[in-house]
Amino acid sequence: MIGVLLWCVVWRCTLGAEAAATTHEFYYKVQYVLANPDGVYEKQVISFNGTWPLPTIEVNKGDRVKLHLINGLEDATTSLHFHGLFMKGVGYMDGPVGVTQCPISPGDSMLYDFEVDQSGTYWYHSHSGSQYSDGLRGLFIIHDEEQEAKYAFDKQLSWSISDWYHLPSAELVKKQLTRYNPTGAEPIPQNLIFNDSRNVTINIDYDTKYLIRIANIGIMVSQFFSIPGYEFEIVEVDGVYTEPKKAKMAYLTVGQRMSILLKTRPKSDVDSNIIIFTSMDRPMLDTIPVDLELNSINYLVYDKALPMPKPPSWINDQDSFKPFNDLELVPSSHTPLLPEPDHRINLLLHMENLGDGVNYAFFNNYTYVAPKVPTLLTALSAPASLV
């Protein structure tokens, strides 16, 4: 049944009314394949059923997902985490190895079975070490017809942005956690990719309002995002729909998602196609190799016969960037702020070397030490009085 997507419809009563919810059943076998998303270097990535990039999964609020993940890797365990989903009542579907589940061994499988009661833009990825930097990640979109209708758009698009590394994940970890890297500096990416590629062109229509979902599914680097010459409206951040706010530039940290409304122009007002601009947050990089391109350019294409615009000069002056401040966003639900807390807990983060040459992160002078017995097994084996 590998590669087969099964659909069935189940019926349930919600608030006394008949409501239809769909069960989406997927069978995905993770396997190694070769890919060259940046056009520079071919590397081994992790596919679903021999295909990479991985698919964007789209469901509706209230639907049920049954995803069978089969480990076809011969040399590694794996897992799957649905980033941003609360997994209420089914925390064992959350994916972190050693915390909510055991790793999926080579040749074994796991059924991720849950209902979605949120809506918005999410993504899924391996939660086994840093394995998702080997390509095991994709978008997960939850539609909400009632919520989306408020924004009166014509069409939808979904985009991923990511840093990209030529080394496999295991080597990236070794390079960072070593005495030869005493400052704990993160690995430097080789490129930025957009929808798991570079120099992407996306066809668009004139005089059309688009809802565009964007997710930073990278490993380390935050990115600036802009559509030079166009203003857009931010209407969702991390699964929370917001009152529309106009912006010319946004900033997406790793794991962050955002939805924007973009209105294209009438044909009479168009003399060129459109640039999609993203850029690495330069101060996050300890060193900048001379051959590293901080900026990434992709295109929205009205008409192939129209010229591709030249990038504006300001894209090379990152000090002048002024991204929209997310703190100005207001949830469309207008949920009131929580009252002042009765107690505050302050966490001090610092980095320190413990003498082995490796730099570790500390919260209030404590660093993480992996337990000899995984948290999950501790919970299962501990005396009932301690659970």
Side-chain angles (χ1 to χ4, degrees):
M1 300 181 72
I2 302 302
V4 177
L5 171 61
L6 301 179
W7 296 84
C8 68
V9 178
V10 297
W11 294 87
R12 67 181 183 184
C13 290
T14 303
L15 300 178
E18 289 294 324
T22 301
T23 295
H24 306 265
E25 191 158 12
F26 306 91
Y27 288 82
Y28 290 134
K29 184 176 183 179
V30 295
Q31 300 169 294
Y32 291 124
V33 297
L34 294 175
N36 188 0
D38 66 356
V40 176
Y41 183 82
E42 186 177 63
K43 65 176 284 188
Q44 184 174 263
V45 300
I46 300 176
S47 72
F48 274 178
N49 303 336
T51 299
W52 194 89
L54 304 191
T56 294
I57 297 175
E58 299 193 46
V59 301
N60 293 316
K61 182 178 180 180
D63 285 354
R64 181 180 179 184
V65 172
K66 298 178 70 175
L67 192 153
H68 302 259
L69 191 70
I70 303 123
N71 188 359
L73 310 177
E74 297 181 355
D75 60 350
T77 61
T78 193
S79 63
L80 205 60
H81 170 65
F82 297 84
H83 194 109
L85 296 189
F86 299 144
M87 296 295 178
K88 292 180 180 179
V90 287
Y92 44 89
M93 294 296 165
D94 197 43
V97 167
V99 179
T100 64
Q101 71 166 79
C102 295
I104 305 171
S105 299
D108 287 342
S109 66
M110 178 170 173
L111 169 61
Y112 293 91
D113 186 353
F114 57 92
E115 291 186 3
V116 289
D117 59 0
Q118 298 164 251
S119 60
T121 309
Y122 303 88
W123 59 299
Y124 61 90
H125 59 82
S126 168
H127 215 299
S128 299
S130 59
Q131 190 180 60
Y132 85 82
S133 70
D134 296 322
L136 209 176
R137 74 283 195 283
L139 299 184
F140 190 90
I141 308 300
I142 307 174
H143 295 285
D144 182 341
E145 184 175 335
E146 180 179 353
Q147 179 65 56
E148 293 175 6
K150 297 177 182 178
Y151 300 113
F153 57 87
D154 303 305
K155 294 184 176 182
Q156 294 193 49
L157 296 170
S158 297
W159 300 342
S160 67
I161 59 177
S162 175
D163 46 17
W164 189 249
Y165 302 80
H166 292 165
L167 289 177
S169 61
E171 293 188 39
L172 291 176
V173 172
K174 289 180 181 179
K175 284 176 67 70
Q176 184 172 1
L177 299 179
T178 172
R179 63 189 180 91
Y180 300 107
N181 182 29
T183 65
E186 296 88 350
I188 303 298
Q190 276 65 58
N191 263 312
L192 291 180
I193 55 176
F194 179 93
N195 282 357
D196 291 315
S197 189
R198 282 173 61 83
N199 302 312
V200 175
T201 58
I202 299 171
N203 295 326
I204 55 169
D205 298 326
Y206 296 104
D207 199 18
T208 301
K209 191 175 184 180
Y210 286 89
L211 175 69
I212 304 174
R213 303 177 184 275
I214 311 161
N216 184 344
I217 62 173
I219 307 301
M220 294 287 185
V221 183
S222 300
Q223 294 191 45
F224 297 94
F225 167 86
S226 181
I227 302 177
Y230 284 73
E231 194 173 52
F232 51 83
E233 292 181 298
I234 300 173
V235 295
E236 181 223 347
V237 171
D238 296 340
V240 177
Y241 284 101
T242 66
E243 297 295 336
K245 290 286 186 178
K246 293 182 179 180
K248 293 183 178 179
M249 178 175 284
Y251 182 86
L252 288 94
T253 60
V254 168
Q256 188 174 8
R257 298 91 63 204
M258 180 176 291
S259 290
I260 64 172
L261 293 174
L262 176 69
K263 181 64 184 294
T264 60
R265 294 171 182 160
K267 187 174 183 178
S268 58
D269 293 340
V270 173
D271 57 11
S272 71
N273 294 306
I274 306 172
I275 285 175
I276 307 169
F277 168 71
T278 57
S279 182
M280 300 184 197
D281 187 355
R282 184 179 58 205
M284 295 187 71
L285 307 177
D286 287 61
T287 60
I288 301 178
V290 294
D291 61 344
L292 178 62
E293 295 182 38
L294 293 174
N295 300 332
S296 174
I297 301 293
N298 299 279
Y299 298 95
L300 293 172
V301 177
Y302 285 113
D303 189 329
K304 292 181 180 178
L306 291 172
M308 295 298 188
K310 294 182 178 180
S313 59
W314 57 259
I315 69 171
N316 296 312
D317 180 17
Q318 197 167 107
D319 293 336
S320 69
F321 291 3
K322 296 180 180 179
F324 184 86
N325 183 357
D326 293 3
L327 294 178
E328 296 180 20
L329 294 172
V330 178
S332 59
S333 64
H334 293 280
T335 302
L337 295 175
L338 294 173
E340 283 296 308
D342 297 319
H343 302 281
R344 294 180 182 271
I345 299 174
N346 296 318
L347 292 176
L348 174 64
L349 171 65
H350 79 280
M351 308 294 291
E352 184 178 322
N353 195 299
L354 290 180
D356 60 358
V358 179
N359 221 34
Y360 298 92
F362 289 76
F363 274 129
N364 291 355
N365 295 318
Y366 288 95
T367 192
Y368 174 76
V369 177
K372 293 182 179 179
V373 178
T375 305
L376 178 62
L377 297 182
T378 298
L380 293 174
S381 61
S385 60
L386 298 179
V387 175

